[in-house]
Amino acid sequence: ASLSAGTSAEVSRATAAEASIRAVDIQDRTMLSTSLASLNATIQLQAAMLSTQQSIITGLSATLTTQQSITATLSGAIVSSATAAAAQQAATASLSAGLQTASARLSGAMSSNAYRDCSYFRIANASSVSGVYTLPSGGQVYCDFSTSSTSSSNAWTLLATFEQPRNMDTTTLPFATYQQYCMTYPTWSGGLAESRPLSPEPANDAAWHIRSVDWGSVLAAGRQYQLRQRFFKGVGAAKTAIFDVLYTFTFGGWTAQDQSLVANDHIFVLTNRVVLQDTTGIAWNTPAEQVQYWQPFSMNYTGSVVTACGSYAITVDGCGASITSPASRRYGNAGIIGSAADSNDPAAAWAPHFNAGATGLDVVFIHQATSIYGQSTGANGPIFLAYYIAPL
C-alpha cells in the first residue's frame, strides 16, 4: 500500500510536470508563432519600405534625368543667347559701318566737288520742291522735281532754254546775239549765254533769249544720265503743241563738236526713248536706228561735223555753215536725230535752229511737220525750247 501510494504520488507529479512542460511548450510555440508573425510583418514592412524607397529612387532618377535635360536645355539656351548676342553685336557693327559709309557718301555728295546737279538737293531733302537752288559751287540752277515717271534720281537740272517771240521768225534774231552765243567758242553749251536758265517758262517779253549753263560744269564724264527735250508754244495754261521726251545716254566729256575730231565725240548716243507728254499731233519717226543728240559747234571747228541736214549728215562744211550768210547760220545749232537721211525725225532735229535764210523759220525745226514746228513764223508763240538732264 505504501509503494502503491508512493507510485501514485510520483505519477501525479509526473503528470503535473508533463502538463507544466506542455503548458510551457504551448506558451513557447505561441510566443514563437507571435514572434514569427511579428518578424514576417516586419519583413513585409521592410519590403514595402524598400519598394517605396525604390519608387523614390526611380522618381529621383527621373527627376535627375529631367534636371539634366533642363540643364542641357539651359546650357543650349545660354549658348544660343551667346550666339544671338554675338550675331546682334555683328549686326550692330555692320549697321554702324553702313551708317558711317552712308554718312561719308552724303558728306561727299554735299562737298563742292561732288554732285553738280539737282540730285544734290534731292539727296539732302527728299521733299524738295521745284525751284531755283544754289549749288555748293555757288552756281544757281533750276530744279524740276515734279515729274514722277523719270529717272531714278527724279531730279531734273535745267541746262538750257531758247525763246522765240510770238509771231516772229529767226530773221528777227539779232546777228550780234547769234554771233556772241552761237558762232563763238564754246557756244551756249559752254555757258556762253545771256544768263543761266532759272525758269521753265518763257519770259514772253517779245524778245529773243538764249540761256544756258556750262554743260561741262554739270555733267561728269563716264556717268549715265537722261537727256530731256521739252518744247511748246504759248504760256501758262494756254500752252499748245507740247512735246516732252527723254533718252538715256552716257556723257563722254564733250559739250561742243570743236573739242574733238572723233565723230563719236560729237554726239550723245541716245537709248530708251520715253515720251512724257505729246500734244503736237506729229507722226514721229522711231525705227530701229541709232538716235543721237548732235552737239553745237562754233566757227572755229575743224574736220567734219554732224548736223541734221536731211535729218542726218556728216559734212566738212557743216551743212553750208557760213559766217556771213543768213541762210547758213549753222553755228550753235543742235538737236535729236536718227541715223538716216530720210527727213523724218524722232524728236526735234534742229533745236535750237537759227537758220535765217527764209522767212517764217522757227527755233525748233522738225522735218516732217514744218507747219507745226519749222516754218510757222512763231505762230501761237512764244516758242520755248528747254533741255534738262537727270543722273541715273
Side-chain angles (χ1 to χ4, degrees):
S2 178
L3 179 58
S4 178
T7 301
S8 178
E10 288 294 328
V11 169
S12 296
R13 287 196 292 271
T15 302
E18 182 179 3
S20 178
I21 290 170
R22 287 181 178 176
V24 170
D25 182 59
I26 292 170
Q27 184 179 6
D28 289 343
R29 286 183 179 182
T30 301
M31 291 177 63
L32 180 61
S33 177
T34 302
S35 296
L36 288 174
S38 177
L39 178 61
N40 185 54
T42 300
I43 291 171
Q44 289 178 348
L45 178 61
Q46 289 179 344
M49 291 176 64
L50 179 61
S51 177
T52 300
Q53 288 175 345
Q54 286 178 338
S55 297
I56 292 171
I57 290 170
T58 301
L60 289 174
S61 178
T63 301
L64 179 61
T65 301
T66 301
Q67 288 177 340
Q68 287 176 338
S69 177
I70 292 171
T71 300
T73 301
L74 289 175
S75 178
I78 291 170
V79 172
S80 297
S81 297
T83 303
Q88 184 175 8
Q89 289 176 345
T92 301
S94 176
L95 179 59
S96 177
L99 289 174
Q100 289 177 354
T101 300
S103 178
R105 287 180 178 174
L106 183 58
S107 297
M110 292 185 175
S111 71
S112 60
N113 296 321
Y115 282 97
R116 302 179 294 181
D117 55 61
C118 291
S119 61
Y120 168 86
F121 306 105
R122 176 63 82 187
I123 289 175
N125 180 8
S127 300
S128 297
V129 296
S130 300
V132 176
Y133 291 81
T134 301
L135 291 165
S137 62
Q140 288 188 309
V141 289
Y142 179 84
C143 300
D144 179 8
F145 300 122
S146 64
T147 306
S148 58
S149 58
T150 59
S151 72
S152 57
S153 65
N154 191 27
W156 292 99
T157 304
L158 184 59
L159 294 183
T161 61
F162 306 86
E163 183 177 346
Q164 175 183 344
R166 180 182 179 88
N167 297 326
M168 294 187 186
D169 61 17
T170 54
T171 63
T172 63
L173 173 66
F175 180 77
T177 301
Y178 170 73
Q179 183 179 36
Q180 183 177 2
Y181 303 141
C182 303
M183 291 172 54
T184 307
Y185 179 81
T187 77
W188 51 267
S189 64
L192 190 60
E194 172 188 329
S195 64
R196 299 174 72 89
L198 300 180
S199 174
E201 298 293 330
N204 194 27
D205 57 0
W208 278 87
H209 297 288
I210 299 175
R211 298 183 170 100
S212 181
V213 301
D214 176 358
W215 289 31
S217 70
V218 176
L219 301 170
R223 188 169 185 183
Q224 194 173 53
Y225 296 90
Q226 285 181 319
L227 177 69
R228 181 178 168 195
Q229 184 189 68
R230 174 176 168 83
F231 51 90
F232 54 83
K233 295 184 175 186
V235 296
K239 292 185 183 74
T240 62
I242 303 170
F243 188 65
D244 198 344
V245 66
L246 63 88
Y247 292 88
T248 299
F249 76 102
T250 299
F251 181 55
W254 317 106
T255 59
Q257 295 192 53
D258 305 56
Q259 296 169 344
S260 175
L261 294 175
V262 180
N264 283 342
D265 295 338
H266 298 170
I267 60 174
F268 300 163
V269 177
L270 307 178
T271 59
N272 302 325
R273 182 178 192 263
V274 177
V275 176
L276 299 178
Q277 187 177 13
D278 184 6
T279 65
T280 63
I282 297 172
W284 299 103
N285 185 49
T286 56
E289 61 179 343
Q290 177 175 293
V291 176
Q292 53 225 312
Y293 164 79
W294 61 283
Q295 302 174 42
F297 56 89
S298 77
M299 63 182 181
N300 296 329
Y301 84 91
T302 58
S304 299
V305 289
V306 178
T307 70
C309 276
S311 285
Y312 173 77
I314 300 178
T315 60
V316 174
D317 68 353
C319 192
S322 170
I323 297 175
T324 58
S325 172
S328 300
R329 289 187 179 181
R330 304 301 189 189
Y331 304 116
N333 291 238
I336 295 176
I337 57 176
S339 55
D342 54 8
S343 294
N344 279 294
D345 306 318
W350 294 92
H353 175 244
F354 297 119
N355 185 358
T359 58
L361 296 176
D362 299 325
V363 72
V364 173
F365 190 99
I366 300 163
H367 288 91
Q368 70 267 35
T370 56
S371 62
I372 302 173
Y373 283 108
Q375 294 177 299
S376 73
T377 317
N380 302 315
I383 296 178
F384 191 78
L385 164 70
Y387 282 103
Y388 298 80
I389 64 94
L392 292 177

